[in-house]
Amino acid sequence: MRFEVTAAGLALSAALTAAGVAAPGDPPATPATPAPGARLCADPPGPVAVGMAQWNGWGRDSENTRYQPEPALRAIDVHKLALKWAFGFEGSAVAGQPSVVDGRLFVASAVGRVYALDARTGCTYWTFDAGAGVHTPITIGEYAPPKSAAPTKATGAPTPRHKTRHHHRATKRAGPRTLAHTDLLKAPSTAFFGDDTGTVYALDAQSGALRWKVRIDAHPRARILGAPTVSHGRLYVVVGSARREDAPSPTPASAAVPTHAANEGVGADSGSRGSVVALDVVSGQVLWKTVMANAAIGATAVVSAASPSAGSAPAAASPVIDPAADGAPVMAAPSIDDAHGLLYVATDSARAPDLLDKAVVALDLNDGRVRWVKRLGGAPLPGAVPDLSGFTTSPILRHLPGERHVLVVTQRSGTVFGLDPDRGGELLWTARAGEGNFGGVEWGAAADHRSVYVPLSGLTEDPLLTEGRGAVGGLVALDLKTGARRWQVAAPTPACAWGPRSCSHAEAQAATLVPGAVFSGAMDGHLRAYSTIDGKILWDYATATDFVTVNGVKASGGSLDRGGPVIVDGMLYVNSGYGERVGQPGNVLLAFAVPGK
């Protein structure tokens, strides 16, 4: 069955494509200002070229492998890594994960300030205040408007609430550009991210100016946690759910650019938010939205009459499914399979039986139709609070010998599944990653051509309930083809720098992989590199301490969680200080390099 474009659907489409402008009485947001003593970039920012040396978005590539094949960092040199610079987030804890594209580092803080830094020095080019918390990595995509576009009608909009400040010193304008200036060949690019109110933003990656913003789910519990993914001129965004006690209050939409609102009538006291949304990268127009519910199987959520899906129109008798309906939460970035024209997501647990929870879902990239579903949840673990049979990680797509593929998904319980995307998600293998007190996969694994490396949190219960017992994590390597365990190591258990309270040795942070070494961060603040051969520790750095920062902000590290380190052009970047529910909060971004290289 398919979603039918009806009068109600056209009304929703009109709401999605209508420009939203702040009321004249709305006060402007406080503009971002550089901290005293901040290190400002001497030169203005140049164009940002997508495809240059990069770690773009969540998994570096659209398959979310979290594998950097050309890191300019040899495994034999990993033990030489030393701190090069530190950057402090003013008035905010860390959030998300850095992205590095063409020498520019993009990162967001928990209060919603987005930064563009020089990746080598940490100086600041610009900042942007979203007005709500931001927990997604920043994804950079090419901005390719049509050769001729309709002019934008003047709206008489007031000063935007969202402010971009350029933090480079004034310089004299350079002389005429010549072909020697390679940035002439760089296409304009856009920085995409989502916030805690279900709003997606598009900024000019060079200047930080707001191109557009779109609110794709206005339910108070809707949150965008997974990194947006760009593919073939479309932006794919996942929507998840916040716990009821920490759901943010919606922020009024205001900007002098198109702002689309959807689902405004959804009740605030119930429901699980979970959907996948496709938007046009240039205009922000919503092309389709598929809710993670059983009723969506075989259907397409068409929410934009201006951009109809390819293929024949739906039959008049097809049932209409409300795109504002509840859905199983999607907490991590989608993965793209260009060979099959599919997008993969894994869903978390949900209370309602009619939702597509605890499953891997394959959607058609073109129209959002659910092509296949593989339910993998099973029954909750005995005594587990909450239910850990859902998924909070991105599926990993990898090639196998003989033109075969495997889709690897890691469950919160510690079970790892290998699926065959060439055969509609047929189960290839199942592996229990942890043994004994091990178990629990929080934010994701990394995979090369041979193995998948899975960090284990040891948290098989609610972390608030295990605080006094101190969960112990570890790392396991599984064969990519069979799921057989190659090796497993327990995480060291050093005393936490902040004392015994909230001290956990869980390796909850997403893993990052380079040839010969896999990096895994622990809740005790230690970032370690392990040999991919046998799991031997190659490097160990304690991040839970105070740092002198390049921007003059007082900063300290803490627990390592969520987004893992990113490695580009011989440098490693990692946020330290994730302590939203358990662990030690902090506010520092750290950059490491091998001295002299």
Side-chain angles (χ1 to χ4, degrees), residues 388-470:
L388 298 181
S389 54
F391 299 87
T392 55
T393 62
S394 297
I396 298 175
L397 179 63
R398 290 262 58 176
H399 297 274
L400 294 174
E403 298 185 355
R404 297 174 57 207
H405 303 83
V406 61
L407 191 66
V408 180
V409 287
T410 52
Q411 194 176 53
R412 295 179 69 192
S413 66
T415 303
V416 184
F417 302 90
L419 307 181
D420 188 346
D422 303 317
R423 298 184 177 181
E426 179 180 308
L427 185 64
L428 294 174
W429 51 262
T430 303
R432 177 67 184 167
E435 292 182 338
N437 291 329
F438 292 98
V441 182
E442 297 298 317
W443 297 109
D448 56 20
H449 63 283
R450 181 187 177 192
S451 302
V452 55
Y453 302 87
V454 185
L456 304 172
S457 70
L459 297 173
T460 55
E461 298 178 289
D462 190 309
L464 296 178
L465 302 179
T466 60
E467 183 174 337
R469 287 172 271 171

Side-chain angles (χ1 to χ4, degrees), residues 254-338:
S254 60
V257 292
T259 304
H260 314 309
N263 306 341
E264 294 290 354
V266 179
D269 296 327
S270 63
S272 172
R273 311 314 298 163
S275 61
V276 181
V277 183
L279 306 94
D280 180 84
V281 296
V282 176
S283 65
Q285 181 182 17
V286 175
L287 304 176
W288 54 257
K289 177 177 181 177
T290 300
V291 177
M292 294 294 99
N294 291 336
I297 296 177
T300 301
V302 181
V303 296
S304 175
S307 298
S309 300
S312 59
S318 298
V320 177
I321 302 172
D322 185 1
D326 291 346
V330 185
M331 310 299 283
S335 299
I336 304 296
D337 184 349
D338 282 324

Side-chain angles (χ1 to χ4, degrees), residues 531-567:
S531 168
T532 58
I533 297 173
D534 55 11
K536 178 183 177 181
I537 294 178
L538 305 176
W539 177 73
D540 188 329
Y541 190 91
T543 69
T545 187
D546 297 333
F547 292 93
V548 176
T549 64
V550 294
N551 60 331
V553 172
K554 185 177 180 180
S556 60
S559 295
L560 299 178
D561 199 358
R562 287 191 182 264
V566 304
I567 301 172

